[in-house]
Amino acid sequence: MAKTLFDKVWDRHVVIPETPEHPATLYIGLHLIHEVTSPQAFSVLKERGLSVRRPDRTLATIDHSTPTLISPDGSRPYVTPQAERQVETLLTNAKTHGIETHGWDSPHRGIVHVMSPELGATQPGMTIVCGDSHTSTHGAFGAIAFGIGTTQVGHVLANQSILMRKPKTMAIEINGTLGHGVTPKDIILAIIAKIGIGGGTGYALEYRGNVFEDMSMDGRMTVCNMSIEAGARCGMIAPDQTTFDYLKGRKYTPKDFNAACKDWLSLQTDKGAKFDKTVIMAAEDIRPMVTYGTHPGMAIAIDSLIPPADTAADKSALDYMQVTSGTAMSGTKINRVFIGSCTNSRMEDLRAAANILRGQSIAQSVTAIVVAGSETIKAEAEAEGLHEVFLKAGAQWREPGCSMCLGMNGDIGAPGELIISTSNRNFAGRQGPGVRTVLASPETAAASAITGIITDPRSVMAPPIPCKPNLGSPA
Amino acid sequence: MSFKPITQITSKTLVLPASNIDTDQIMPARFLTMTTKTGLGKHLFHDWRYNDDGTETDHELNSLAAKDCQILIGGHNFGCGSSREHAPWALTDYGFRVVMSSEIADIFRGNSLKNGLLPIVIDKAAHQWLLDHPSEEVTVDLESCEVRLPKNGGTYKFEIDAFSRHCLMQGIDEMGYLQGQSDALDTFEARYERN
Ligand code: SF4
């Protein structure tokens, strides 16, 4: 029977198949842990006298509560003693159980979903879990990757498996030519705006079509990262040469790399395989996007107007955001800019922002911070001189981590402020109590930083190189 | 780490009618640095319940009557957002045992089931009735998978998978269940490593 990518990877990991009475037991190839969602799981292990079954399939980092500023004396001031305790708890637990950890001393430390692909630990055909909903990022490599709760973190630590029912599958197909200034972030925001924040609930998504085939790994990660914002547990893209080129030579990639690639290629969805649902969109219809409300589905093209608020929830979202139906988001005054998070903190994102900020100054009224996703990216960006572009423009260049994406480490805005952010969630209060968040691409964030108002990036970007005229006869 | 079994619960409801109540509202991110589960109920819906100076607002979650409610009625798409389990921990620590809505986000629902909180996706008509009739005494019967509304509100069936129902009714958790499968796991793992 013709199978989808999801089916193939799923089938490889079924320990005990599901029945009407019980869910499947699914084996986990890679378990990523960080300080926030693991402490209670380790305490359960301790309470029950259990050990970690496969420390060698577990990888730890610190990212959420970590400070992004270093004091002049070299210390790293935590937002609260509790945050520091949380990080220390992770480091102690990982050490006790023999888990490879990328703490302060590691040149690889970073946001968990940025670091693992960089190490080549994330591989096609794997099952990957982490106590973090944006684990869907790793689906960019053709892995089944999804977030789990702390109780399940405990299950995976102790049993390297979890109980789960197989989700349905949904294909999201986008073909065509993307317009100028349209980035992977805009594509995923457009998808979520179309299917809604509950549209993917109960489904595993597969992104298909030439738009994703032509996309870099950085871009694919941005797209898969936000699958969860459409309600889907995971989103995947079939592994191909782009995937293999990215993985080649990284620390954890298989020794017999060519054999592995051959196997990974076989994971593609078979011709004739059936999805439970298919959504088709045209690349030409997608424009740079911004959010205007308090969830990622409340997104519009930057050159269009805020739609009418039909429900009480929509009305209160607009009130919270202090915006009005029928007006444009572009032109709205901003206070802060955040370029970072596991959605948009990789090299491609930083380069895109730097290209816009090069030789420019950030508006006086704006505080902009740029936070690389990992120590690896920070070093690479500095080698390219990107940090100098940011600093010269007047932005801050901080230490890698989740930072202002959820503000757990104290990187937050002041009440009422508007932040244009490359992260993935614009929930009320996520970036600080009363803070208003507008999600956008690094390009849009950078363009807005210069003007101090929400700005269409196409207005500041170099014009596209014109395509060769089509000399063929009209189709 | 098992919990009190749920068979039948009769309690007044507490209604939070807003749609899309996300996990950042239920448990703001700045409280995620806690390394234990207990005491989280105090921070449940923190930004709704407390003023900047730490004093309580007049939100009904702060009322004495709310403390006795075991059934929470949420607006459409309750629990969307992050996978933080602090949300169901806080809800149960506060005293809720059942959450009902016309739609409940996937991960939140899964997390609830693992932590002794029964999430019920209820028929739209029943949901509307519940939103329109706050503080009524409602019965949730896990044995018959029924929600019984008073005042001729009617009786509605709900769905829950057999496994979760079994676990909730027995008060057992999945860890024990998985531990019991270690032979199958050994066999699988040996084959998996070879490939
Ligand atoms: S960057 Fe944001 S979304 Fe990503 S892991 Fe960190 S907190 Fe979560």
Side-chain angles (χ1 to χ4, degrees):
Chain A
M1 209 182 82
K3 291 210 259 178
T4 64
L5 164 64
F6 180 86
D7 293 331
K8 291 182 186 181
V9 181
W10 175 273
D11 290 351
R12 285 185 177 194
H13 292 87
V14 174
V15 179
I16 296 174
E18 74 176 84
T19 68
E21 284 72 43
H22 63 77
T25 301
L26 193 71
Y27 193 73
I28 299 305
L30 175 66
H31 185 198
L32 304 167
I33 60 171
H34 59 85
E35 72 272 26
V36 182
T37 49
S38 65
Q40 287 92 346
F42 281 107
S43 12
V44 169
L45 249 59
K46 197 167 175 191
E47 276 164 32
R48 298 193 174 198
L50 300 171
S51 55
V52 176
R53 184 179 175 100
R54 293 301 298 266
D56 58 328
R57 289 190 174 277
T58 315
L59 204 54
T61 189
I62 50 175
D63 52 3
H64 283 68
S65 319
T66 52
T68 54
L69 287 174
I70 301 182
S71 297
D73 64 0
S75 68
R76 299 178 189 267
Y78 281 84
V79 60
T80 56
Q82 180 78 352
E84 184 162 15
R85 206 169 318 134
Q86 200 177 38
V87 165
E88 271 161 14
T89 307
L90 182 278
L91 297 176
T92 313
N93 281 330
K95 197 163 171 203
T96 310
H97 293 278
I99 295 165
E100 180 176 317
T101 307
H102 295 279
W104 292 120
D105 51 354
S106 165
H108 304 295
R109 187 192 68 82
I111 304 175
V112 61
H113 311 309
V114 176
M115 180 190 81
S116 174
E118 281 172 351
L119 289 170
T122 296
Q123 290 167 21
M126 259 187 176
T127 43
I128 302 176
V129 296
C130 174
D132 187 287
S133 49
H134 294 93
T135 308
S136 58
T137 312
H138 309 265
F141 292 80
I144 295 180
F146 52 88
I148 55 176
T150 299
T151 304
Q152 284 184 310
V153 171
H155 298 165
V156 182
L157 288 173
N159 309 292
Q160 201 60 32
S161 50
I162 61 162
L163 295 167
M164 186 176 174
R165 290 197 180 272
K166 192 174 174 180
K168 291 178 284 186
T169 53
M170 185 191 297
I172 304 220
E173 247 179 76
I174 310 185
N175 285 295
T177 311
L178 288 171
H180 179 47
V182 178
T183 72
K185 180 64 159 286
D186 303 308
I187 296 169
I188 187 63
L189 283 172
I191 293 170
I192 300 164
K194 182 178 166 86
I195 71 173
I197 49 170
T201 304
Y203 290 93
L205 310 183
E206 183 182 332
Y207 300 99
R208 297 165 61 79
N210 76 284
V211 162
F212 304 107
E213 286 158 20
D214 298 343
M215 205 178 265
S216 68
M217 287 316 295
D218 283 6
R220 292 181 189 181
M221 284 190 259
T222 301
V223 170
C224 290
N225 174 275
M226 289 189 73
S227 305
I228 178 78
E229 306 309 332
R233 287 289 286 274
C234 65
M236 306 171 83
I237 295 175
D240 60 9
Q241 196 55 45
T242 307
T243 322
F244 309 150
D245 291 345
Y246 176 99
L247 286 173
K248 198 166 185 191
R250 294 187 188 258
K251 188 170 175 199
Y252 288 115
T253 47
K255 288 213 175 55
D256 191 347
F257 191 68
N258 289 338
C261 291
K262 214 172 133 212
D263 173 48
W264 293 338
L265 265 184
S266 74
L267 295 170
Q268 307 236 359
T269 292
D270 295 327
K271 267 213 176 67
K274 283 225 160 28
F275 290 91
D276 295 299
K277 192 173 175 182
T278 299
V279 173
I280 296 175
M281 293 168 68
E284 290 76 9
D285 292 344
I286 304 174
R287 287 173 282 159
M289 302 283 290
V290 281
T291 59
Y292 61 90
T294 52
H295 66 66
M298 300 178 86
I300 47 171
I302 194 161
D303 52 5
S304 62
L305 303 178
I306 299 167
D310 296 330
T311 63
D314 284 357
K315 277 195 195 90
S316 78
L318 296 197
D319 286 349
Y320 181 86
M321 291 301 292
Q322 301 169 28
V323 297
T324 323
S325 295
T327 65
M329 283 306 285
S330 68
T332 308
K333 195 175 165 304
I334 62 167
N335 304 96
R336 284 174 202 263
V337 176
F338 171 57
I339 296 175
S341 89
C342 58
T343 316
N344 283 121
S345 65
R346 288 170 284 267
M347 279 311 289
E348 191 172 291
D349 307 310
L350 300 187
R351 284 190 192 119
N355 282 343
I356 288 176
L357 290 172
R358 190 167 285 116
Q360 303 282 343
S361 317
I362 281 161
Q364 286 278 315
S365 54
V366 169
T367 310
I369 73 170
V370 185
V371 184
S374 68
E375 301 285 354
T376 310
I377 292 173
K378 182 168 179 256
E380 202 177 331
E382 289 181 355
E384 268 183 35
L386 300 186
H387 65 310
E388 274 158 14
V389 175
F390 297 130
L391 290 169
K392 262 196 203 133
Q396 300 173 29
W397 175 244
R398 294 200 179 184
E399 298 303 304
C402 295
S403 184
M404 205 175 260
C405 174
L406 90 165
M408 259 190 84
N409 70 336
D411 293 353
I412 55 172
E417 283 189 340
L418 191 136
I419 306 183
I420 188 156
S421 177
T422 66
S423 54
N424 43 45
R425 285 192 171 147
N426 50 342
F427 299 153
R430 180 163 170 104
Q431 295 185 305
V435 170
R436 301 173 292 148
T437 302
V438 171
L439 303 178
S441 69
E443 285 84 341
T444 305
S448 308
I450 299 168
T451 54
I453 54 175
I454 296 176
T455 299
D456 190 329
R458 292 170 296 189
S459 66
V460 299
M461 287 167 82
I465 300 154
C467 296
K468 285 206 192 88
N470 184 358
L471 300 176
S473 55
Chain B
M1 236 221 352
S2 44
F3 40 80
K4 223 165 60 191
I6 298 181
T7 44
Q8 196 182 70
I9 289 176
T10 299
S11 153
K12 287 200 167 145
T13 63
L14 189 127
V15 178
L16 300 173
S19 297
N20 304 318
I21 292 178
D22 59 61
T23 50
D24 277 73
Q25 310 301 320
I26 302 172
M27 177 61 28
R30 51 191 195 285
F31 299 111
L32 303 189
T33 49
M34 318 268 294
T35 49
T36 57
K37 294 183 187 181
T38 41
L40 285 174
K42 202 169 71 200
H43 300 300
L44 179 71
F45 290 107
H46 187 280
D47 293 348
W48 298 2
R49 285 170 62 197
Y50 301 96
N51 296 308
D52 291 346
D53 62 3
T55 55
E56 289 191 355
T57 64
D58 55 7
H59 195 282
E60 58 180 315
L61 278 161
N62 290 326
S63 70
L64 265 182
K67 311 256 148 74
D68 294 328
C69 293
Q70 297 184 60
I71 303 176
L72 175 68
I73 312 298
H76 190 71
N77 196 29
F78 187 86
C80 55
S82 90
S83 61
R84 68 189 62 154
E85 233 169 320
H86 304 69
W89 292 340
L91 286 162
T92 50
D93 193 58
Y94 181 95
F96 291 116
R97 313 219 52 208
V98 178
V99 203
M100 259 193 273
S101 174
S102 47
E103 184 176 327
I104 297 179
D106 254 10
I107 297 184
F108 173 79
R109 204 173 41 167
N111 285 338
S112 299
L113 285 167
K114 290 178 192 66
N115 286 284
L117 179 68
L118 171 60
I120 297 179
V121 177
I122 190 90
D123 180 273
K124 279 213 173 67
H127 186 236
Q128 196 54 53
W129 190 96
L130 287 161
L131 293 180
D132 295 342
H133 299 80
S135 306
E136 288 295 345
E137 202 144 280
V138 168
T139 298
V140 170
D141 189 338
L142 190 52
E143 192 108 46
S144 59
C145 293
E146 276 175 0
V147 175
R148 292 192 282 275
L149 309 178
K151 298 189 175 161
N152 298 326
T155 296
Y156 290 86
K157 282 269 179 202
F158 64 86
E159 282 182 18
I160 176 169
D161 72 275
F163 181 71
S164 302
R165 177 168 169 267
H166 170 81
C167 289
L168 282 171
M169 289 184 68
Q170 303 299 316
I172 59 161
D173 65 8
E174 296 183 356
M175 180 70 103
Y177 181 83
L178 276 167
Q179 288 280 308
Q181 299 183 337
S182 62
D183 286 351
L185 208 53
D186 290 344
T187 313
F188 177 90
E189 209 165 44
R191 195 183 71 221
Y192 186 80
E193 299 297 337
R194 261 202 316 275
N195 289 339

